[in-house]
C-alpha cells in the first residue's frame, strides 16, 4: 500500500468511526432523557406503575448510561474483512442501525461474530481475508495495521502483525490494570469464551495475563448469561487491597459494575482483622480438620450439670439433673439444627420434665392425668412461670448458652482446656482471643452455620408494613366518605388512583443501594459466579467459605502453584477442588509472558529451576535490550542506594517499587506486590528473602517478576547462585 493509499484509507476509517461516535452520542442523549423522565414519572395504579417498577426502570437506565459512558475510550478496535467481501467493525460495545433492520455497525467484542478478530491466523483464517487493527487516541485514529490472513507467511511485506500488542505491553504502567479487550490473544480468547458451567482453573506464570483474562471472562459471561448472573452479581477475591485497587477498574471499563471485590479477610462483613498468624498456626487453622475442631468446640459448650440445679417455683422446687439434661441434649443435637436454634428443643425437653415433676408434687392426692384439662392448665401455668424464672434462665444459659462465632472462638483460643477438649493443637492458644487474623475468618464463617442466629428472627418490619397498610385503608375510607359531596360524575375516586398498599408503600424505607454494595454487606448473599485470584494461597477452610458463597459452583480460579508462599495454600488443584466439584472442573494454562521482558525472565527462570524444576517458565513475548543489574553495598551504603533508585525513577514516566525483607527503609514485602506490575523494580537483599523460610524462593520469584522494563538488585551478602546471571555494576 502506497503512502497516498494509506492516508486515503485512514481518512475513510476515521469517517466511519466518527459516525459511530455520532450514533453513540445520540443514544446517550436518548437514554439520559429517559432516565430523567423516569425519575419524574408519576405512579399510576391504572397503568400498573408502582414505586418498585419505577425504581427498576431508573436502575436499568442508569446501568445503560454507565455502559454507554465507558465506550469513549477505544470505541472501535478495528475491522474484519471476510473472504465473501463483508466488513465487520469490532469494538467495546455493539452499535446497530435502527433504520436498516438493526444492521450491526459495530460488533461487541464478546459477540460470536467478533471472535475471528482474536483467533484468526495465517494458517487458520476462519473465512477471513484481512484483520485491520486501529491505534486510537481519544476519538481519532492515529494509525492502523493490516494482517492478511490465509497466506503462508501470514502477512504482506511490511505489515506489523503484533503492533497493537507490543504497543500495549511496552507502554508505561499507570495506577491500575488496563483492559486488554483490543489486544486479546488467541490462547487468552479461548479461555475467555470457554463454555464450561463448573470450575475453570487458569494457571500461568508471571506476566501471562491470567488475572486480566479472568476479568474479561467475567465480562463475557455477563454478556452471554446476563439473566442468570446479573441479579446476584459476581464475587472477585484477591490477595490484598492493593491488588484489588489495581484490578478494580478493568470490569467497569468493560461496562460491568455488579461485582464485589474482597480479600479473604473481608468475607465476614464487619470483622476487623488486626493480627497475623505464624506460618505454622496459619497452616493448622487452614486445615479441613478445623471443621471437626469447631463442631467439637460447640458441643463442648452443651454441658451437663455436675450437681442438680434447683429451680424454685411458687409452690414447689424442682431440679435439673444430669439425666434430664442428657435427654434434652440428645434431642437437641438430634434435631440437626444449629446450636442457637437447637436451644429451643433443649428448653422444651427440660421444661416438660420439670413441669411434669412439679404437677406430680403439687397435685399429689387430688390431681390425676385423667383430668386432662386441669393437668394441661397447670402445665401451661408452670411453663409460663419457668419462662420468667431467673434461676431457670440462668441454668439454661449455663447448660446451653447462646453463642456468637466471635465469643466462642475467642474463648476457645484463651483456654488450653477447651482447645484440648475440642481436639485442637495447643499451638492455637493465645491470650488475646479476639485479636483476629485472616486465618480466623473462615473459622468464624464456619461457626455462623454451626451456631445459627443469636436472636430470634425479627418480623417486626412485616408487622409494621401491615399496620401501615391498615392505617392507609382507613385514610382512603375517610376520603371516600367526603367525595360524595362532589356532584361531578366524572370525578375520579381516590381508589381509582391509589390503593392502601400503594399509600403504605410510600412510607416504606427502601434499600436503594447498588447490588454490589448490598451483596458486600450481606454474609448470606450468594453469587452466580466467583473469581479467585492468587488461588494457590487459599487454605482448605477458605475454599469452604467460597463454596458456600456460590451454591452453583461456577468459578474462575486463577493461580500459579510455583508462586505459593502460604503454608496453608494449595499443593495441587485437585486437592482443593475434588471435595466439592470432582467431575466439574477443567484446567487451562497460559504459556506466554506479556509483562516480563526476556532479559528479566531469564534471571527469574534460573531461580525457578532450582526450587520448582518441574515447572516450565512462560516464554516472554518481547525483549527490551536492557539487562537487569546487581550491585553489592555495605549496610551503611544501602539506604543511600535505595534513595538513588527512587530519585532516578521519580524522573521517569511510569511506576516503580522497592521490594525487600522487613527492616529495609521504603521497601515492601513481595507478598504485597503479588499480581501487580511496575515499570521498574528494585529488589533489596535477595539473600535474606531467600533464607526467610521454606517458601522464600517463591517470594523472591514473585519479586523478580514484577518489572515490565527495568530490574535492579542490591545485596549485602554474596548473590545467591540462581541470580548469577545479573550484571554486576560498580557503586
Amino acid at each position: 500500500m502506497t503512502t497516498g493509499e494509506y492516508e486515503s484509507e485512514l481518512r475513510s476509517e476515521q469517517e466511519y468511526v466518527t459516525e459511530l461516535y455520532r450514533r453513540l452520542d445520540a443514544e446517550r442523549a436518548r437514554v439520559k432523557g429517559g432516565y430523567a423522565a423516569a425519575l419524574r414519572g408519576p405512579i399510576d395504579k391504572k397503568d400498573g406503575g408502582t414505586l418498585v417498577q419505577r425504581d427498576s426502570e431508573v436502575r436499568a437506565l442508569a446501568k445503560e448510561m454507565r455502559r454507554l459512558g465507558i465506550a469513549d475510550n477505544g470505541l472501535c478496535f478495528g475491522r474484519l474483512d471476510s473472504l465473501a467481501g463483508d466488513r465487520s467493525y469490532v469494538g467495546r460495545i455493539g452499535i446497530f442501525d435502527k433504520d436498516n433492520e438493526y444492521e450491526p455497525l459495530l460488533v461487541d467484542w464478546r459477540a460470536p461474530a467478533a471472535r475471528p478478530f482474536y483467533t484468526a491466523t495465517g494458517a487458520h483464517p476462519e473465512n477471513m481475508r484481512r484483520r485491520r487493527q486501529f491505534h486510537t487516541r481519544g476519538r481519532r485514529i492515529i494509525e492502523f495495521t493490516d494482517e492478511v490472513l490465509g497466506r503462508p507467511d501470514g502477512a504482506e511485506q511490511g505489515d506489523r502483525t503484533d503492533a497493537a500488542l507490543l504497543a500495549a505491553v511496552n507502554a508505561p504502567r499507570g495506577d491500575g490494570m488496563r483492559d486488554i479487550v483490543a489486544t486479546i490473544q488467541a490462547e487468552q480468547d479461548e479461555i475467555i469464551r470457554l463454555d464450561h458451567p463448573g470450575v475453570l482453573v487458569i494457571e500461568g506464570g508471571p506476566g501471562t495475563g491470567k488475572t486480566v483474562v479472568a476479568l474479561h471472562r467475567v465480562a463475557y459471561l455477563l454478556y452471554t448469561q446476563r439473566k442468570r448472573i446479573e441479579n446476584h452479581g459476581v464475587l472477585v477475591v484477591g490477595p490484598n487491597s492493593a491488588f484489588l485497587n489495581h484490578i478494580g477498574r478493568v470490569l467497569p471499563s468493560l461496562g460491568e459494575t455488579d461485582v464485589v471485590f474482597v480479600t479473604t479477610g473481608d468475607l465476614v462483613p464487619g470483622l476487623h482483622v488486626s493480627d497475623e498468624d505464624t506460618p505454622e498456626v496459619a497452616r493448622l487453622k487452614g486445615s479441613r480438620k478445623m471443621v471437626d475442631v469447631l463442631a467439637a468446640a460447640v458441643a463442648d459448650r452443651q454441658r451437663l450439670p455436675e450437681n442438680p440445679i434447683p429451680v424454685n417455683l411458687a409452690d414447689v422446687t424442682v431440679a435439673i439433673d444430669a439425666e434430664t439434661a442428657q435427654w434434652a441434649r440428645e434431642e437437641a443435637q438430634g434435631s440437626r439444627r444449629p446450636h442457637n436454634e437447637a436451644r429451643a428443643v433443649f428448653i422444651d425437653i427440660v421444661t416438660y420434665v420439670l413441669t411434669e415433676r412439679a404437677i406430680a408434687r403439687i397435685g399429689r392426692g387430688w390431681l390425676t392425668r385423667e383430668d386432662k384439662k386441669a393437668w394441661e392448665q397447670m402445665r401451661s401455668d408452670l411453663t409460663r412461670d419457668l419462662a420468667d424464672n431467673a434461676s431457670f434462665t440462668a441454668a439454661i444459659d449455663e447448660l446451653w448458652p447462646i453463642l456468637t462465632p466471635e465469643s466462642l472462638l475467642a474463648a476457645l483460643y484463651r483456654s488450653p482446656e477447651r482447645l484440648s477438649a475440642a481436639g485442637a493443637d495447643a499451638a492455637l492458644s493465645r491470650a488475646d482471643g479476639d485479636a483476629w487474623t485472616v486465618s480466623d475468618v473462615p473459622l468464624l464463617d464456619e461457626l455462623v452455620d454451626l451456631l445459627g442466629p443469636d436472636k430470634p428472627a425479627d418480623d417486626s418490619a412485616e408487622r409494621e408494613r401491615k399496620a401501615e397498610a391498615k392505617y392507609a385503608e382507613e385514610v382512603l375510607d375517610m376520603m371516600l366518605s367526603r367525595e360524595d359531596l362532589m356532584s361531578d360524575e366524572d370525578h375520579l375516586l381516590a381508589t381509582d388512583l391509589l390503593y392502601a398498599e400503594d399509600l403504605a408503600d410510600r412510607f416504606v424505607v427502601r434499600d436503594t443501594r447498588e447490588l454490589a454494595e448490598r451483596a458486600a454487606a450481606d454474609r448470606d448473599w450468594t453469587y452466580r459466579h466467583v473469581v479467585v485470584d492468587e488461588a494457590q494461597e487459599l487454605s482448605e477452610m477458605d475454599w469452604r467459605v467460597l463454596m458456600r458463597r456460590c451454591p452453583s459452583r461456577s468459578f474462575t480460579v486463577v493461580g500459579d502453584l510455583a508462586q505459593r508462599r502460604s503454608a496453608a495454600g494449595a499443593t495441587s488443584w485437585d486437592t482443593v477442588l475434588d471435595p466439592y466439584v470432582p467431575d466439574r472442573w477443567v484446567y487451562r494454562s497460559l504459556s506466554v509472558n506479556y509483562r516480563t521482558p526476556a532479559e528479566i525472565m531469564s534471571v527469574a527462570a534460573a531461580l525457578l529451576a532450582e526450587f520448582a524444576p518441574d515447572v516450565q517458565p512462560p516464554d516472554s513475548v518481547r525483549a527490551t535490550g536492557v539487562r537487569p543489574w546487581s550491585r553489592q553495598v555495605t549496610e551503611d551504603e544501602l539506604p543511600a542506594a535505595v534513595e538513588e533508585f527512587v530519585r532516578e525513577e521519580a524522573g521517569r514516566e511510569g511506576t516503580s517499587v522497592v521490594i525487600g525483607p522487613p527492616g529495609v527503609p521504603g521497601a515492601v514485602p513481595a507478598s504485597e506486590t503479588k499480581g501487580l506490575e511496575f515499570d521498574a523494580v528494585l529488589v533489596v537483599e535477595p539473600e535474606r528473602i531467600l533464607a526467610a523460610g521454606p517458601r522464600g524462593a517463591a517470594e523472591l520469584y514473585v519479586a523478580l517478576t514484577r518489572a515490565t522494563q527495568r530490574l535492579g538488585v542490591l545485596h549485602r551478602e554474596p548473590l545467591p547462585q540462581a541470580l548469577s546471571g545479573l550484571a554486576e555494576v560498580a557503586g
Side-chain angles (χ1 to χ4, degrees):
M1 185 183 299
T2 67
T3 301
E5 290 172 334
Y6 178 88
E7 291 178 350
S8 176
E9 282 282 301
L10 185 63
R11 285 193 297 271
S12 176
E13 299 291 25
Q14 181 64 63
E15 289 173 1
Y16 191 91
V17 170
T18 298
E19 173 62 16
L20 291 176
Y21 274 110
R22 187 193 68 77
R23 290 175 181 266
L24 173 67
D25 291 339
E27 184 66 6
R28 281 175 174 166
R30 185 191 68 79
V31 174
K32 185 177 181 180
Y35 177 78
L39 286 175
R40 297 191 302 267
I43 305 300
D44 190 335
K45 183 66 180 181
K46 280 192 171 182
D47 290 338
T50 67
L51 285 171
V52 174
Q53 289 171 328
R54 184 175 70 175
D55 183 56
S56 176
E57 182 183 4
V58 167
R59 288 190 181 212
L61 289 168
K63 183 177 291 188
E64 180 66 3
M65 283 199 301
R66 287 194 299 269
R67 187 185 77 87
L68 295 172
I70 58 94
D72 248 335
N73 181 23
L75 173 62
C76 182
F77 313 142
R79 87 177 198 217
L80 281 169
D81 296 353
S82 73
L83 292 175
D86 299 322
R87 289 183 178 181
S88 300
Y89 286 83
V90 178
R92 194 170 291 272
I93 64 172
I95 295 179
F96 301 90
D97 186 351
K98 296 178 181 178
D99 299 327
N100 189 17
E101 298 182 348
Y102 282 82
E103 178 186 351
L105 301 175
L106 183 66
V107 178
D108 190 298
W109 68 274
R110 294 166 289 192
R115 184 165 191 174
F117 187 78
Y118 302 109
T119 60
T121 64
H124 302 283
E126 301 188 27
N127 294 318
M128 296 296 154
R129 184 176 63 83
R130 176 168 54 189
R131 171 171 45 225
R132 173 168 290 178
Q133 292 179 280
F134 296 155
H135 177 203
T136 61
R137 184 175 301 146
R139 297 189 169 195
R140 191 162 62 90
I141 301 176
I142 303 300
E143 62 178 351
F144 67 80
T145 57
D146 281 347
E147 181 179 0
V148 176
L149 305 167
R151 292 168 56 92
D153 59 356
E156 291 178 344
Q157 183 69 28
D159 285 342
R160 296 167 295 163
T161 60
D162 291 325
L165 173 63
L166 292 175
V169 297
N170 283 317
R173 264 46 191 173
D175 294 332
M177 180 179 284
R178 296 166 293 192
D179 67 64
I180 60 168
V181 63
T183 58
I184 293 171
Q185 301 302 293
E187 71 167 359
Q188 297 172 330
D189 186 81
E190 179 187 354
I191 293 172
I192 290 169
R193 298 175 193 263
L194 185 66
D195 183 16
H196 179 69
V199 177
L200 168 63
V201 175
I202 307 172
E203 185 163 27
T208 52
K210 51 188 179 292
T211 296
V212 74
V213 166
L215 296 176
H216 283 68
R217 175 168 168 78
V218 169
Y220 176 75
L221 291 175
L222 283 166
Y223 178 81
T224 57
Q225 304 177 28
R226 190 166 298 278
K227 287 185 178 180
R228 182 181 74 85
I229 295 176
E230 69 174 349
N231 290 332
H232 288 257
V234 174
L235 177 67
V236 176
V237 181
N240 52 58
S241 57
F243 174 80
L244 295 178
N245 290 336
H246 179 66
I247 70 172
R249 68 178 62 178
V250 174
L251 283 168
S253 76
L254 298 173
E256 307 299 347
T257 56
D258 292 338
V259 181
V260 176
F261 294 88
V262 299
T263 67
T264 53
D266 302 323
L267 287 169
V268 174
L271 186 73
H272 177 60
V273 173
S274 61
D275 214 338
E276 186 173 352
D277 286 318
T278 64
E280 175 59 16
V281 171
R283 184 188 66 79
L284 290 169
K285 290 181 179 179
S287 169
R288 195 179 288 112
K289 296 176 182 177
M290 286 301 298
V291 175
D292 295 331
V293 168
L294 295 175
V298 173
D300 185 53
R301 303 298 292 272
Q302 300 162 357
R303 312 301 292 266
L304 302 178
E306 296 181 3
N307 299 299
I309 302 173
V311 178
N312 298 315
L313 298 173
D315 300 317
V316 68
T317 297
V318 290
I320 305 175
D321 54 28
E323 184 180 7
T324 299
Q326 175 69 23
W327 179 28
R329 184 170 71 174
E330 289 175 356
E331 291 294 325
Q333 291 175 342
S335 72
R336 302 291 185 182
R337 300 182 189 179
H339 169 86
N340 291 332
E341 294 179 9
R343 173 182 160 107
V345 178
F346 184 85
I347 292 173
D348 286 346
I349 298 297
V350 173
T351 298
Y352 172 79
V353 172
L354 295 190
T355 54
E356 283 288 304
R357 291 174 180 172
I359 293 170
R361 294 178 188 176
I362 295 171
R364 183 175 298 157
W366 64 270
L367 180 62
T368 65
R369 288 187 181 277
E370 282 69 26
D371 190 352
K372 292 183 179 179
K373 185 175 181 180
W375 191 283
E376 291 303 323
Q377 182 59 50
M378 185 173 290
R379 180 196 299 283
S380 178
D381 294 340
L382 288 170
T383 298
R384 282 195 299 271
D385 290 345
L386 280 175
D388 296 331
N389 187 288
S391 60
F392 177 76
T393 301
I396 295 296
D397 288 343
E398 178 185 343
L399 301 176
W400 199 287
I402 293 175
L403 299 170
T404 65
E406 292 83 359
S407 66
L408 183 140
L409 195 58
L412 180 67
Y413 289 151
R414 283 194 292 261
S415 172
E417 294 77 19
R418 282 182 170 151
L419 284 171
S420 177
D425 195 295
L428 299 185
S429 176
R430 70 186 187 208
D432 191 354
D434 55 3
W436 305 120
T437 69
V438 171
S439 302
D440 290 326
V441 172
L443 309 187
L444 292 167
D445 193 76
E446 189 82 25
L447 285 169
V448 171
D449 286 350
L450 287 174
L451 297 177
D454 58 349
K455 55 188 68 174
D458 184 6
D459 63 349
S460 58
E462 178 61 17
R463 292 198 307 271
E464 184 176 343
R465 191 195 67 79
K466 289 181 178 178
E468 291 283 1
K470 187 174 185 301
Y471 173 74
E473 189 171 358
E474 293 171 354
V475 171
L476 286 173
D477 288 343
M478 180 191 69
M479 294 169 67
L480 286 170
S481 70
R482 301 299 301 168
E483 285 175 341
D484 60 0
L485 300 178
M486 307 180 78
S487 58
D488 185 355
E489 294 180 358
D490 294 327
H491 182 77
L492 290 174
L493 296 179
T495 49
D496 288 329
L497 296 174
L498 197 65
Y499 285 83
E501 290 283 345
D502 298 322
L503 186 59
D505 278 350
R506 298 199 175 203
F507 300 97
V508 173
V509 177
R510 300 188 183 280
D511 191 343
T512 59
R513 295 174 297 173
E514 294 294 333
L515 181 145
E517 188 179 0
R518 287 182 283 127
D522 186 353
R523 181 264 172 188
D524 294 322
W525 191 278
T526 58
Y527 299 86
R528 287 292 186 264
H529 192 76
V530 176
V531 176
V532 187
D533 210 328
E534 299 294 342
Q536 73 277 356
E537 306 296 346
L538 270 62
S539 70
E540 293 175 327
M541 292 302 292
D542 288 327
W543 282 106
R544 287 179 64 85
V545 179
L546 296 180
M547 292 296 170
R548 281 193 286 271
R549 299 296 190 273
C550 187
S552 65
R553 304 290 194 261
S554 177
F555 281 74
T556 299
V557 175
V558 181
D560 180 10
L561 295 177
Q563 295 187 58
R564 177 180 66 88
R565 60 180 297 275
S566 170
T571 55
S572 67
W573 299 119
D574 54 358
T575 300
V576 295
L577 295 176
D578 279 354
Y580 306 102
V581 284
D583 301 316
R584 289 188 59 224
W585 70 276
V586 296
Y587 176 89
R588 295 291 185 272
S589 62
L590 292 167
S591 59
V592 179
N593 189 327
Y594 299 99
R595 176 178 69 216
T596 317
E599 294 87 351
I600 296 176
M601 196 62 218
S602 65
V603 175
L607 175 65
L608 181 67
E610 284 197 357
F611 78 93
D614 296 334
V615 177
Q616 182 68 28
D619 296 323
S620 294
V621 76
R622 68 197 172 103
T624 62
V626 179
R627 290 190 63 189
W629 56 267
S630 65
R631 174 181 162 195
Q632 188 165 17
V633 294
T634 65
E635 183 175 359
D636 292 339
E637 293 171 335
L638 183 60
V642 172
E643 290 178 7
E644 179 184 355
F645 169 83
V646 173
R647 186 170 55 253
E648 287 181 357
E649 290 301 329
R652 290 172 163 165
E653 186 180 7
T655 60
S656 63
V657 69
V658 178
I659 302 175
V664 175
V668 298
S671 58
E672 293 186 12
T673 66
K674 295 200 75 169
L676 306 182
E677 55 186 32
F678 306 87
D679 290 274
V681 172
L682 180 67
V683 178
V684 181
E685 298 194 84
E687 64 275 17
R688 284 180 57 195
I689 298 175
L690 198 58
R695 300 303 300 171
E699 190 98 341
L700 181 56
Y701 182 62
V702 170
L704 294 173
T705 54
R706 298 306 95 193
T708 66
Q709 303 290 342
R710 301 175 295 281
L711 172 67
V713 174
L714 295 177
H715 59 104
R716 290 196 295 145
E717 302 298 327
L719 273 178
Q721 179 61 33
L723 304 187
S724 59
L726 290 167
E728 189 76 24
V729 299

